[in-house]
Amino acid sequence: MSAHSHVEGQLPHEPEKATLEGRNKVLGFWLFLGGETVLFGTLFSAFLALRHQVLSGPPAEELFKLGLVAAATLILLTSSLTSVFAVQALHNNQVKSLMTWLAITVVLGAGFLGLEIYEFVHYVHEGHGFTTSAFSSSFYTLVGFHGAHVAFGIMWITLLIIQLGKKGLNTTTAPKVYIASMYWHFIDVVWVFIFTVVYLMGKVG
């Protein structure tokens, strides 16, 4: 029976940590996220220091449309949930289910990005360009930097889906999926901070 399950390609429990290479990748990625946290922390500090420097541009309370941003937030938080389902499928050795949840995560991420681009275009029309003021520059740098992370995540997970289709789920592909899911949660957590610090605090002045 065990020989048969081995032929079937049964993976060990937590296949992302089954090999030394896999464990090292996960550990290395935690260190990378530490660096990313410092980077975003710096951008948040700059934004908080400059958020009232609007010059002739519109202030945050006039500019921000919370309905749109709340919709984008809901989409991104849902995508965090679908990436949790993807990791569950990974642990249950369900390749098709894993690929499906990853694909849904990508679609939701693209939806979030679409809303963000629409929002930026709207702000530019309202006279809130990148160089309008210190507030606008710090806003676009912080929110745009996060958007770039989302775009990178979408490309990364899409490539993983293609790789899973070709090579299946094994101790090489499993750590990649797990790390991509960690990355996706990280950009979701950063967005919750952006939503609170930039948009909610901006609205209340």
Side-chain angles (χ1 to χ4, degrees):
M1 178 67 191
S2 62
H4 176 68
S5 24
H6 186 71
V7 173
E8 287 293 311
Q10 277 297 331
L11 284 171
H13 177 63
E14 294 198 332
E16 70 278 3
K17 296 173 187 165
T19 63
L20 180 63
E21 188 192 354
R23 288 194 293 276
N24 285 344
K25 274 181 183 164
V26 173
L27 177 65
F29 198 73
W30 275 112
L31 297 173
F32 166 74
L33 287 186
E36 286 281 280
T37 305
V38 172
L39 203 54
F40 271 108
T42 309
L43 293 175
F44 272 110
S45 305
F47 175 80
L48 285 169
L50 302 170
R51 70 191 190 104
H52 295 300
Q53 315 291 319
V54 294
L55 293 176
S56 59
E61 52 266 32
E62 279 176 29
L63 192 66
F64 295 150
K65 303 281 182 282
L66 277 191
L68 181 73
V69 184
T73 304
L74 187 65
I75 290 171
L76 202 60
L77 291 180
T78 306
S79 76
S80 209
L81 186 63
T82 58
S83 75
V84 169
F85 293 150
V87 171
Q88 280 180 343
L90 161 73
H91 288 156
N92 294 330
N93 197 13
Q94 299 165 324
V95 187
K96 280 204 170 72
S97 178
L98 167 60
M99 288 167 71
T100 303
W101 285 119
L102 288 177
I104 295 169
T105 304
V106 164
V107 169
L108 290 168
F112 169 84
L113 213 52
L115 282 181
E116 190 164 273
I117 292 164
Y118 172 81
E119 179 198 13
F120 280 9
V121 170
H122 170 75
Y123 291 164
V124 170
H125 282 301
E126 295 283 310
H128 181 68
F130 185 79
T131 55
T132 304
S133 62
F135 160 60
S136 69
S137 299
S138 61
F139 166 80
Y140 283 119
T141 303
L142 171 58
V143 182
F145 191 63
H146 175 268
H149 276 71
V150 174
F152 174 76
I154 290 169
M155 288 189 292
W156 182 6
I157 296 171
T158 304
L159 290 172
L160 274 179
I161 295 168
I162 295 166
Q163 194 174 23
L164 285 166
K166 286 180 181 170
K167 298 184 177 175
L169 191 55
N170 52 47
T171 49
T172 307
T173 52
K176 294 178 181 176
V177 172
Y178 186 76
I179 288 168
S181 179
M182 278 168 60
Y183 174 85
W184 199 256
H185 290 312
F186 172 75
I187 54 179
D188 274 27
V189 170
V190 171
W191 179 257
V192 171
F193 279 99
I194 289 176
F195 181 65
T196 309
V197 172
V198 176
Y199 293 99
L200 293 183
M201 281 173 61
K203 262 311 203 190
V204 296

